[in-house]
Amino acid sequence: MGGSQIRRTARATLLLLALAAVVTAAVAAKLRPDSAADWVGVVSGTLGPPGLYLAWASYRDDRAAEVPTLTLAEVADQLAAVVRNQWAAEVELRRLNDPYALPVRWEAAPADLVEDWATIERLATSGGAGWPSPPPAGAWGSGPQDLAGGDGELVNVLGRIPTGRLVVLGEPGAGKTILLVRLVVDLLAEGRREPGGPVPVLLPLTSWDPTQQRLDDWVESRLVTDYPFLAEAAPDTEGKTWARRLWEAGLLLLLLDGLDEVHDPARGIAVARINEAASVGQRLVLASRTNSYRSALHPPDGVEVRLTGAAGIELLSLEADDVADYLQVSAGGPASAARWRQVLAALTQTPAPPVTQALTTPLMASLARTIYNPRPGEPAARVGRSPSELLDLVRFPTRTTVEQHLCDGYIPAAYRDASETSRWKVADAERWLVFLARHLDGSPNFAWWNVSRDISIR
């Protein structure tokens, strides 16, 4: 395969990814927080055309001259460049750094959900078993307590684990997916990844049925869908795709998100299939809700299982001071920040009122910011609603009612700055989001090429 062809298809991949982000956002935004907690933030991708424009601009760029067939290491570098651009654009679309990233913190995961640290060290130093040579003394952590941390430290935490295998646990909306997005960006930062080295790829597990498909087959199918240039046959491999060759060569660092989205009875099987498929020495990260992961590892009537060689962290609730600072700093000025005064006072009350319980997760804090704070350049008067309404115990007697209110209010808030001449209106957005959700009809996979059969323009 020529170098120009792989570059052209890599650029086409960016265009497809931008479309996929919009579609995923459309479906997730109408779901309740207990089933789409880690994906609602991506709806920000529907607010405008920057992602699509950047993808198209990359695709239309002048094409490079033909070069000799690329090596596997060069294909890995091409993939790394596409993945880095993909998730850097996603960080911008989700406004993860506006005004700054929420300070997510974590502690070591419960001991019954991970391997014993001595076992992890023994596995990584067993010699001749395929694991990389141990790093210099002091590079690894001395125990689970060294995994505690926060903010942008996850890339360093991963390096402290002798096997490089990590389980990320947390409640719905705790920020697991966002943490993995940041990890991908950090792993691909300038100077961190060795040329020709493994490429981190973030893959949602929702479309995997471990009872019907092996992990390596599913990974290959996802990669050739998400990054079409990897579907090309590698030379001298009897038709194997570049995706398959990257897998076989150990050049993929899998970040598997959402084990809890796998069908309940199959979650334990999924962990076992990951153990079977992951090659010796292969680093990987697996994210799940804590209770779902515990039930997968400790089934009431089944054989217990755990992710081989994996340490773990569990995300903590946001601190009241962090939430208060985040909502006020993102308010856009003293007048808008003052609107939060009553809600922020409630954050320190004991017992905690429903609004305080809801705002302890990054998802709900970010939704509240979008709904009640003006965006840059938006008149504060256009926001209209006051955050003090969240204190109404008649309307919002429980944490769940607050969370449902914030989820329901997100789409109207996201489109409230649409001008009178804008093509996209709140009513149109909600109508099409409902249509897309019904089109799925319980399936985790969205076949956009079949939508035309169901469209009825009224």
Side-chain angles (χ1 to χ4, degrees):
M1 179 180 61
S4 65
Q5 184 178 2
I6 199 170
R7 290 185 178 90
R8 287 196 296 271
T9 50
R11 288 165 181 158
T13 296
L14 290 175
L15 189 60
L16 291 174
L17 288 169
L19 174 61
V22 173
V23 170
T24 301
V27 177
K30 289 303 291 183
L31 301 179
R32 290 301 184 195
D34 62 345
S35 63
D38 292 326
W39 289 99
V40 174
V42 79
V43 177
S44 57
T46 67
L47 300 183
L52 287 170
Y53 174 79
L54 290 174
W56 173 250
S58 176
Y59 179 73
R60 70 165 187 213
D61 281 344
D62 52 312
R63 297 168 179 173
E66 288 288 340
V67 296
T69 300
L70 298 179
T71 66
L72 186 60
E74 289 170 332
V75 172
D77 291 342
Q78 292 276 2
L79 176 61
V82 173
V83 172
R84 181 174 59 249
N85 292 338
Q86 169 196 356
W87 291 111
E90 194 69 21
V91 167
E92 181 177 353
L93 288 171
R94 298 191 192 196
R95 300 174 63 199
L96 298 186
N97 297 321
D98 179 19
Y100 56 80
L102 268 166
V104 178
R105 298 183 177 88
W106 56 81
E107 61 185 7
D112 66 314
L113 302 182
V114 296
E115 293 271 36
D116 178 79
W117 195 264
T119 300
I120 293 174
E121 287 187 327
R122 185 163 56 249
L123 182 61
T125 57
S126 53
W131 294 94
S133 300
W140 288 345
S142 60
Q145 70 278 359
D146 290 337
L147 303 183
D151 297 334
E153 297 180 1
L154 189 58
V155 66
N156 298 323
V157 167
L158 189 61
R160 295 179 198 138
I161 302 172
T163 57
R165 294 186 176 181
L166 174 67
V167 177
V168 178
L169 303 173
E171 66 173 299
K176 299 181 292 297
T177 296
I178 298 302
L179 201 61
L180 294 191
V181 170
R182 290 175 177 160
L183 178 58
V184 172
V185 174
D186 289 341
L187 286 169
L188 292 174
E190 191 70 28
R192 187 177 293 276
R193 174 183 172 272
E194 292 291 333
V199 183
V201 288
L202 175 53
L203 303 175
L205 286 170
T206 183
S207 64
W208 182 37
D209 182 353
T211 66
Q212 301 295 323
Q213 192 174 25
R214 300 188 340 173
L215 179 67
D216 55 337
D217 292 335
W218 174 78
V219 168
E220 180 182 18
S221 67
R222 280 305 309 259
L223 289 179
V224 300
T225 298
D226 295 347
Y227 311 102
F229 66 93
L230 296 181
E232 297 289 337
D236 304 322
T237 60
E238 299 182 349
K240 289 182 179 180
T241 65
W242 283 115
R244 173 63 65 171
R245 289 292 297 117
L246 289 171
W247 170 275
E248 293 176 343
L251 291 177
L252 298 174
L253 196 174
L254 300 181
L255 280 67
L256 303 174
D257 187 29
L259 179 70
D260 47 273
E261 297 292 344
V262 173
H263 186 51
D264 189 2
R267 290 173 192 156
I269 297 175
V271 176
R273 295 290 179 267
I274 294 172
N275 286 338
E276 294 170 1
S279 60
V280 174
Q282 182 177 11
R283 296 190 298 165
L284 62 88
V285 180
L286 175 65
S288 175
R289 296 177 186 176
T290 305
N291 290 337
S292 298
Y293 194 67
R294 176 172 280 109
S295 64
L297 268 56
H298 307 293
D301 301 316
V303 178
E304 293 193 356
V305 65
R306 68 183 62 209
L307 188 61
T308 301
I313 61 172
E314 185 172 25
L315 304 190
L316 302 172
S317 298
L318 295 175
E319 298 287 341
D321 289 344
D322 292 332
V323 175
D325 290 343
Y326 178 73
L327 294 175
Q328 290 183 104
V329 172
S330 64
S336 296
R339 300 167 68 244
W340 287 101
R341 187 175 296 114
Q342 290 179 287
V343 172
L344 300 187
L347 295 181
T348 58
Q349 291 179 2
T350 303
V355 63
T356 301
Q357 299 171 35
L359 293 179
T360 56
T361 67
L363 173 63
M364 292 302 147
S366 64
L367 291 182
R369 175 198 66 170
T370 301
I371 294 170
Y372 296 109
N373 282 345
R375 285 183 288 277
E378 180 185 21
R382 181 169 288 178
V383 177
R385 307 166 72 167
S386 170
S388 60
E389 68 178 353
L390 297 173
L391 298 171
D392 187 341
L393 294 179
V394 175
R395 292 179 61 192
F396 311 117
T398 65
R399 171 178 180 168
T400 299
T401 56
V402 175
E403 293 175 337
Q404 291 178 349
H405 169 73
L406 293 175
C407 285
D408 291 342
Y410 183 75
I411 292 300
Y415 285 88
R416 69 171 175 245
D417 63 343
S419 66
E420 294 300 321
T421 59
S422 174
R423 179 182 178 186
W424 307 112
K425 302 294 192 298
V426 173
D428 294 332
E430 290 187 324
R431 179 166 61 92
W432 282 106
L433 291 174
V434 170
F435 167 79
L436 292 173
R438 288 174 177 168
H439 176 78
L440 283 174
D441 193 25
S443 170
N445 301 314
F446 183 74
W448 58 267
W449 51 90
N450 291 330
V451 172
S452 60
R453 297 182 307 185
D454 302 329
I455 291 180
S456 176
I457 306 284
R458 288 189 291 270

